[in-house]
């Protein structure tokens, strides 16, 4: 579909995907996207059911992942210069409707766009909605345009300063609602992980394992957020990933604050 904003006259292309289950038939889709990308001059959004995951972390349960199929998908997306818009809420967008050892979760749905699309729609955000009544999660696409507009005339620098403050306030509220206080959540999640580890050791069922994996993933997520926070505050781009030392990060940040 080609859509045009009647106010700005900006046009963009939206391609909605419903990929085949068979890997050979999906190659025809990849070839179609290659052809579209070669001739694409407009902002471009490609979204919905690709029926393939990006890596092993996007699947829980079931048979092992075919790396050849994953690599074909990655090569297509990278060659087409498309970027994943990320997600909010659960990483999984599909569930086979079963439980225990037969349960399978996958991230089969996603939204991708090119650089031109990001330039006309700032602050894009994808939210995975509830799977109620279906096996796939609907996806909600939103952006921060409403927080960039002003309803007064003034010196351009004053207007620009006001434009910066509005998204900052909105993003601060969004961060609190999405992540909360990461410094409080980490010790809390560490205690939760210990409890679930003990439960799994006493009763190693699939359900207890899934619960343990979930809280471990939550803890890793917040530890990563904490590490990135420290890096951004201190500007320590030289610090190696996976060599985490949270106390060191915060000592550096506090030292910088004192110097400032």
């Amino acid at each position: 579909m080609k859509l045009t904003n009647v106010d700005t006259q900006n046009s963009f292309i939206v391609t909605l995907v419903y990929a085949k289950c068979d890997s050979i038939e999906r190659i025809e889709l990849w070839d179609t996207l290659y052809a579209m990308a070669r001739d694409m001059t407009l902002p471009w959004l490609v979204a919905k059911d690709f029926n393939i995951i990006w890596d092993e972390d996007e699947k829980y349960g079931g048979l092992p992942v075919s790396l050849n199929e994953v690599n074909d998908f990655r090569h297509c997306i990278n060659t087409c210069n498309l970027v994943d818009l990320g997600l909010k809420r659960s990483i999984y967008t599909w569930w086979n409707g079963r439980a225990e050892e037969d349960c399978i979760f996958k991230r089969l749905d996603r939204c991708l766009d090119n650089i031109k699309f990001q330039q006309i729609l700032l602050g894009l955000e994808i939210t995975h909605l509830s799977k109620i009544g279906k096996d796939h999660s609907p996806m909600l696409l939103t952006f921060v345009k409403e927080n960039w507009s002003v309803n007064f005339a003034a010196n351009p620098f004053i207007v620009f300063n006001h434009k910066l403050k509005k998204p900052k306030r909105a993003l601060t509220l969004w961060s609190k609602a999405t992540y909360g206080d990461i410094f409080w959540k980490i010790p809390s999640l560490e205690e939760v992980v210990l409890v679930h580890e003990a439960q799994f050791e006493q009763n190693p069922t699939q359900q207890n394992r899934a619960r343990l994996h979930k809280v471990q993933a939550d803890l890793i997520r917040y530890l990563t957020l904490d590490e990135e926070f420290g890096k951004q505050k201190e500007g320590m781009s030289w610090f190696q990933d996976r060599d985490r030392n949270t106390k060191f990060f915060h000592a550096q940040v506090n030292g910088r604050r004192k110097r400032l």
Side-chain angles (χ1 to χ4, degrees), residues 197-213:
E197 284 178 348
Q199 289 178 345
F200 182 67
E201 289 171 1
Q202 294 174 4
N203 188 18
T205 64
Q206 291 288 345
Q207 186 177 26
N208 283 344
R209 186 185 72 168
R211 289 172 177 170
L212 174 59
H213 285 176

Side-chain angles (χ1 to χ4, degrees), residues 23-234:
S23 60
I24 302 300
E25 292 183 292
R26 278 199 301 272
I27 292 177
E28 298 179 11
L29 171 61
W30 308 152
D31 290 340
T32 300
L33 291 177
Y34 290 138
M36 293 180 68
R38 280 196 299 268
D39 301 326
M40 188 59 61
T41 59
L42 292 174
W44 189 25
L45 178 73
V46 185
K48 206 47 189 119
D49 182 8
F50 290 85
N51 233 317
I52 184 67
I53 61 175
W54 182 265
D55 58 37
E56 295 179 352
D57 293 336
E58 294 184 348
K59 181 182 179 184
Y60 172 84
L63 297 174
V65 178
S66 170
L67 294 181
N68 288 335
E69 295 179 27
V70 171
N71 289 335
D72 286 343
F73 176 50
R74 287 183 173 186
H75 183 265
C76 173
I77 299 309
N78 292 331
T79 303
C80 294
N81 294 317
L82 294 170
V83 178
D84 195 314
L85 288 173
L87 54 92
K88 285 180 63 178
R89 300 182 182 171
S90 173
I91 185 176
Y92 304 116
T93 65
W94 177 85
W95 173 44
N96 68 344
R98 300 177 184 177
E100 297 293 338
E101 64 272 9
D102 296 325
C103 178
I104 301 175
F105 292 106
K106 295 181 184 179
R107 185 189 180 198
L108 301 180
D109 307 84
R110 63 187 74 235
C111 286
L112 311 164
D113 68 351
N114 62 4
I115 296 298
K116 291 182 178 180
F117 192 88
Q118 295 178 17
Q119 290 173 343
I120 66 167
L121 292 176
L122 300 174
L124 292 168
E125 184 178 272
I126 304 297
T127 302
H128 292 165
L129 305 180
S130 171
K131 300 182 184 69
I132 296 175
K134 56 187 79 69
D135 55 354
H136 285 262
S137 297
M139 295 189 296
L140 176 66
L141 173 64
T142 57
F143 54 97
V144 299
K145 178 181 178 182
E146 61 272 18
N147 290 305
W148 188 251
S149 60
V150 295
N151 56 2
F152 65 90
N155 181 289
F157 292 102
I158 295 177
V159 172
F160 182 67
N161 183 55
H162 184 77
K163 283 175 174 280
L164 291 177
K165 288 182 177 180
K166 284 185 67 179
K168 180 181 179 181
R169 287 193 295 268
L171 290 171
T172 298
L173 293 173
W174 167 82
S175 177
K176 289 181 179 179
T178 305
Y179 300 110
D181 187 341
I182 62 175
F183 308 114
W184 175 85
K185 278 187 173 290
I186 288 173
S188 176
L189 283 171
E190 286 173 343
E191 294 295 329
V192 173
V193 168
L194 290 175
V195 171
H196 282 278
E197 284 178 348
Q199 289 178 345
F200 182 67
E201 289 171 1
Q202 294 174 4
N203 188 18
T205 64
Q206 291 288 345
Q207 186 177 26
N208 283 344
R209 186 185 72 168
R211 289 172 177 170
L212 174 59
H213 285 176
K214 183 181 183 304
V215 296
Q216 286 175 335
D218 289 340
L219 176 58
I220 291 172
R221 175 169 168 253
Y222 278 97
L223 286 171
T224 302
L225 288 171
D226 187 42
E227 180 179 314
E228 290 301 319
F229 173 82
K231 286 182 180 180
Q232 291 172 13
K233 288 293 184 181
E234 179 58 20

Side-chain angles (χ1 to χ4, degrees), residues 227 230-231 236 239 244-253:
E227 180 179 314
K231 286 182 180 180
M236 297 166 62
F239 204 87
R244 180 179 286 113
N245 188 328
T246 305
K247 290 183 179 179
F248 175 73
F249 275 123
H250 289 292
Q252 291 289 320
V253 172

